[in-house]
Amino acid sequence: MEKAGRGSEGGPRGPVLHIVVVGFHHKKGCQVEFSYPPLIPGDGHDSHTLPEEWKYLPFLALPDGAHNYQEDTVFFHLPPRNGNGATVYGISCYRQIEAKALKVRQADVTRETVQKSVCVLSKLPLYGLLQAKLQLITHAYFEEKDFSQISILKELYDHMNSSLSGTSLEGSQVYLGLSPRDLVLHFRHKVLILFKLILLEKKVLFYISPVNKLVGALMTVLSLFPGMIEHGLSDCSQYRPRKSMSEDAGLQESNPPADDFVSGSASNMSNTNLGTVKKIIAGNHGGDASIKTEKPFFQLEHDSSKGQEPSDTNQYLKPPSRPSPESSESDWETLDPSVLEDPNLKERELVGSDQTNLFPKDSVPSNSTPITVQPQANMGQVVLIPGLISGLEEDHYGMPLAIFTKGYLCLPYMALQQHHLLSDVTVRGFVAGATNILFRQQKHLSDAIVEVEEALIQIHDPELRKLLNPTTADLRFADYLVKHVTENRDDVFLDGTGWEGGDEWIRAQFAVYIHALLAATLQLDNEKILSDYGTTFVTAWKNTHNYRVWNSNKHPALAEINPNHPFQGQYSVSDMKLRFSHSVQNSERGKKIGNVMVTTSRNVVQTGKAVGQSVGGAFSSARTAMSSWLSTFTTSAPQSLPEPPDGKP
């Protein structure tokens, strides 16, 4: 990856491309107020003009609903300019200040508060490191109480480029601010479910407010994939912005015909209801208007019709009327390098083929000679080799996997103006974060919605839930993680790295897991081995783009990896407790049984009090014993994804 960049005014070489200030104007909305160097060469620092590829920059840097918070932090991704190069990584620090506190109040400041974001656009994914520097400067910039004092921003640009020049992407500084430890404490067993969802390249939407909690959780999940943050996101934002902002604002009164939603052009995408979009955009940064769902989300949905659209369909985005690319054999799923590198090729004729062919029982090797990647000696530093098909920098295990390539997007924060990407047929999948409730309402446009606040994973498709249903070995793995994290929870000397239960230790466990899983798929007689990982899950995974790209090469280093599940073994009483706890806590049937038991015991005790103290005392003792027994199961196993509707383990 190129690590040098030069500003239009001859600034120092380094990874930082621009320092940008985005403000909210009472008439014009979000707009760029300052950029150094100018975003478009030849323009002034105060130009509002944006490159076409970065037209969503103001809405990403100054997040939706920002007026509800005094400050916030945003991570976001921008596509490369002119279609060349790699992802541009954005880090934005938002703050607001009362207008009466300003020393110099400009004429266009007509509101009671002033809302601005200071943003860094970088070539390197150093989210936490850049955030730490940017927060200090943003604080100082606002303390000036005079936003015309831009010298501090120019100094920030020079300082960052001089201090970060030659910075390596190897080491713990890449993971600064991303804590798998906190993630495991919050999601517990479900961390493994999130891990497998992304391996399957599903459409995963994270939802929470404010944005700093959102992007922190999403990027921490990605940090569990070896090499993903460092080298796996360079192709994760290859999307096409809409051709006109009027389309984004939903200014068209009439809904376009269904055929418009399936066009390959990014400009012909679905629009939300005019009134809904106007209401949301108007209330984004200045008003108190908010939209609330009338219907709560539940962890399991049993709608046999599988239709997620309510009767008032005008409030929701329309899904494509033809099969989405991830369900078909298309140009991003083939392993022919000439096809993968040709962006002009469209979906192949196999779109209408029998769906059973998409999930072969055995991995079919390519007829061509596989490319062999020889392991090299590790001299204290990871040896990286350019992937001939993935285009990513890979280690000798083939990490990172080519998940975020060929139309599978990673958008840590997604602005409302980007909602069309959810139904864009050129986007085969995504891992995206949102704070606007409109995204959460569009549940028919995603495979899973992750409610970060409640640590819930809502999966609409029963078949996908069965694929992700944890095996006994997976439950042991999750229990092992949770126990080590919770046991050290109160250790004041634990800083998150280097100790059992710390951040680096957790990432190492997931590296062992994915290496063993990959090694297991290469075994000739591997049915029994794969059953510990979930045979149906592995079969579906083998059909994904990332696995096919990985399997197109040979990785001899995996010969040293034990292909067995790290937690394989004979069933025991503790496994029965894990499975029982998993069923009771997370299946609808188990929850109902638990609620009935609690209600019944309460009613019986009340009845016992009416007929005699001795009877009531006996039932009270029984209820206490039952509660103690259930709590034993609850504390012995992590939380997990809901069971399939049939309730079978």
Side-chain angles (χ1 to χ4, degrees):
M1 178 186 297
E2 183 184 359
K3 298 182 181 179
R6 181 178 294 276
S8 60
E9 299 186 356
R13 299 180 66 86
V16 175
L17 300 174
H18 302 277
I19 302 294
V20 180
V21 175
V22 174
F24 183 76
H25 191 275
H26 66 286
K27 290 184 178 179
K28 301 176 183 178
C30 298
Q31 63 178 7
V32 170
E33 298 179 343
F34 168 84
S35 59
Y36 181 83
L39 295 177
I40 297 180
D43 284 0
H45 296 307
D46 57 352
S47 173
H48 304 313
T49 307
L50 290 166
E52 183 64 22
E53 299 88 348
W54 293 355
K55 64 192 303 180
Y56 301 133
L57 171 59
F59 310 104
L60 294 168
L62 211 165
D64 180 37
H67 63 281
N68 294 319
Y69 304 95
Q70 286 298 115
E71 55 185 290
D72 204 353
T73 303
V74 189
F75 301 159
F76 60 89
H77 295 157
L78 292 173
R81 297 279 296 275
N82 303 318
N84 299 320
T87 297
V88 174
Y89 306 94
I91 297 90
S92 173
C93 286
Y94 160 81
R95 292 194 65 174
Q96 64 175 322
I97 187 175
E98 291 186 355
K100 63 183 181 182
L102 294 175
K103 294 178 181 178
V104 178
R105 182 166 178 170
Q106 299 176 348
D108 59 353
V109 178
T110 61
R111 301 162 64 91
E112 294 182 356
T113 59
V114 177
Q115 300 155 352
K116 295 184 187 294
S117 289
V118 181
C119 174
V120 171
L121 301 183
S122 169
K123 289 186 175 183
L124 298 182
L126 299 171
Y127 304 98
L129 185 62
L130 293 175
Q131 175 189 351
K133 295 175 178 289
L134 185 59
Q135 283 179 328
L136 294 174
I137 297 301
T138 302
H139 177 77
Y141 182 55
F142 271 74
E143 284 298 309
E144 290 283 341
K145 296 181 174 61
D146 179 4
F147 295 118
S148 63
Q149 300 298 319
I150 59 175
S151 59
I152 190 173
L153 301 177
K154 294 181 179 180
E155 292 173 3
L156 173 65
Y157 173 82
D158 296 336
H159 166 73
M160 281 190 168
N161 275 323
S162 61
S163 63
L164 296 177
S165 291
T167 298
S168 171
L169 283 179
E170 309 302 330
S172 59
Q173 65 179 0
V174 175
Y175 300 113
L176 183 65
L178 305 179
S179 175
R181 177 178 168 80
D182 292 341
L183 191 75
V184 172
L185 286 171
H186 187 59
F187 279 92
R188 300 175 72 87
H189 172 272
K190 297 172 189 175
V191 171
L192 184 57
I193 304 301
L194 292 172
F195 188 81
K196 284 190 167 185
L197 260 174
I198 296 173
L199 276 180
L200 291 179
E201 297 177 353
K202 294 300 179 182
K203 298 179 178 180
V204 184
L205 181 72
F206 285 71
Y207 179 84
I208 194 178
S209 186
V211 182
N212 65 82
K213 293 183 178 180
L214 175 75
V215 297
L218 189 152
M219 297 308 299
T220 302
V221 173
L222 297 189
S223 74
L224 301 177
F225 292 84
M228 186 61 70
I229 299 292
E230 302 96 310
H231 307 289
L233 301 177
S234 60
D235 194 34
C236 74
S237 62
Q238 295 280 2
Y239 61 82
R240 301 176 186 175
R242 285 193 171 186
K243 292 183 179 179
S244 66
M245 293 302 292
S246 62
E247 294 179 74
D248 289 331
L251 298 182
Q252 297 180 1
E253 293 290 343
S254 60
N255 290 327
D259 290 343
D260 291 345
F261 296 119
V262 297
S263 170
S265 171
S267 62
N268 295 328
M269 299 301 164
S270 57
N271 293 295
T272 56
N273 174 266
L274 172 65
T276 303
V277 174
K278 281 187 175 180
K279 181 177 180 183
I280 295 173
I281 293 180
N284 277 353
H285 305 285
D288 297 326
S290 62
I291 297 180
K292 298 181 179 179
T293 51
E294 298 177 359
K295 207 166 145 187
F297 266 60
F298 296 95
Q299 201 167 356
L300 279 177
E301 299 179 23
H302 297 287
D303 186 357
S304 59
S305 64
K306 296 184 182 179
Q308 281 81 28
E309 288 195 28
S311 56
D312 187 8
T313 55
N314 286 334
Q315 294 183 5
Y316 296 86
L317 304 179
K318 293 186 177 182
S321 58
R322 71 176 180 183
S324 57
E326 85 277 0
S327 65
S328 62
E329 288 275 340
S330 47
D331 60 328
W332 48 67
E333 291 177 332
T334 179
L335 289 179
D336 187 329
S338 63
V339 175
L340 284 171
E341 295 169 2
D342 187 358
N344 298 320
L345 290 179
K346 302 299 180 182
E347 295 178 357
R348 293 191 167 189
E349 298 176 355
L350 293 176
V351 170
S353 64
D354 187 354
Q355 292 298 316
T356 57
N357 293 332
L358 299 180
F359 298 93
K361 293 183 179 179
D362 299 308
S363 178
V364 180
S366 174
N367 293 330
S368 58
T369 304
I371 304 166
T372 302
V373 180
Q374 295 292 344
Q376 300 183 22
N378 188 347
M379 306 301 292
Q381 181 174 355
V382 177
V383 178
L384 299 174
I385 305 171
L388 299 181
I389 295 181
S390 69
L392 305 176
E393 296 288 326
E394 301 174 355
D395 65 13
H396 51 273
Y397 295 104
M399 302 288 105
L401 294 172
I403 295 176
F404 296 101
T405 59
K406 300 299 177 182
Y408 191 78
L409 305 182
C410 174
L411 304 173
Y413 173 68
M414 200 173 191
L416 179 62
Q417 289 73 14
Q418 295 176 297
H419 66 74
H420 64 91
L421 295 175
L422 298 181
S423 56
D424 190 333
V425 295
T426 65
V427 175
R428 64 186 179 92
F430 53 81
V431 176
T435 59
N436 193 299
I437 201 167
L438 182 64
F439 285 95
R440 190 177 69 172
Q441 290 174 334
Q442 316 308 309
K443 52 186 178 179
H444 59 284
L445 296 178
S446 60
D447 297 311
I449 297 178
V450 181
E451 298 272 5
V452 179
E453 187 71 36
E454 295 81 10
L456 296 178
I457 306 174
Q458 302 183 36
I459 297 179
H460 320 308
D461 182 8
E463 294 302 318
L464 180 56
R465 285 202 298 268
K466 290 180 180 179
L467 283 181
L468 296 170
N469 191 38
T471 64
T472 299
D474 280 347
L475 285 173
R476 292 173 186 160
F477 174 60
D479 191 48
Y480 178 74
L481 292 176
V482 172
K483 283 183 176 178
H484 276 73
V485 170
T486 54
E487 284 173 0
N488 297 323
R489 189 171 189 174
D490 299 323
D491 188 345
V492 295
F493 297 104
L494 184 69
D495 65 356
T497 59
W499 286 267
E500 280 195 0
D503 293 337
E504 294 296 334
W505 179 85
I506 294 172
R507 280 190 281 265
Q509 304 311 306
F510 276 92
V512 170
Y513 182 92
I514 190 65
H515 287 161
L517 175 57
L518 288 166
T521 64
L522 300 179
Q523 303 300 308
L524 296 178
D525 187 15
N526 59 4
E527 241 179 83
K528 186 175 180 181
I529 297 176
L530 294 181
S531 64
D532 284 328
Y533 299 97
T535 305
T536 55
F537 164 78
V538 175
T539 302
W541 180 43
K542 284 184 176 181
N543 189 60
T544 62
H545 171 74
N546 72 82
Y547 181 82
R548 291 184 176 189
V549 169
W550 179 86
N551 196 42
S552 66
N553 294 353
K554 282 189 175 180
H555 307 281
L558 282 176
E560 304 173 3
I561 301 296
N562 184 350
N564 293 303
H565 195 293
F567 289 84
Q568 67 160 354
Q570 298 296 323
Y571 293 103
S572 64
V573 175
S574 60
D575 293 327
M576 294 175 62
K577 289 183 178 180
L578 281 172
R579 180 61 64 185
F580 180 78
S581 176
H582 166 72
S583 301
V584 169
Q585 293 183 55
N586 297 285
S587 69
E588 286 299 298
R589 183 179 301 174
K591 289 179 180 179
K592 289 178 181 178
I593 292 174
N595 292 334
V596 168
M597 291 173 64
V598 172
T599 304
T600 302
S601 63
R602 185 185 301 117
N603 293 337
V604 169
V605 169
Q606 291 174 354
T607 303
K609 288 180 179 179
V611 299
Q613 184 66 31
S614 60
V615 177
F619 278 118
S620 179
S621 299
R623 182 181 62 172
T624 302
M626 178 63 71
S627 300
S628 176
W629 180 65
L630 285 176
S631 65
T632 301
F633 289 115
T634 301
T635 56
S636 66
Q639 300 176 11
S640 59
L641 192 71
E643 285 286 312
D646 58 10
K648 294 180 180 179

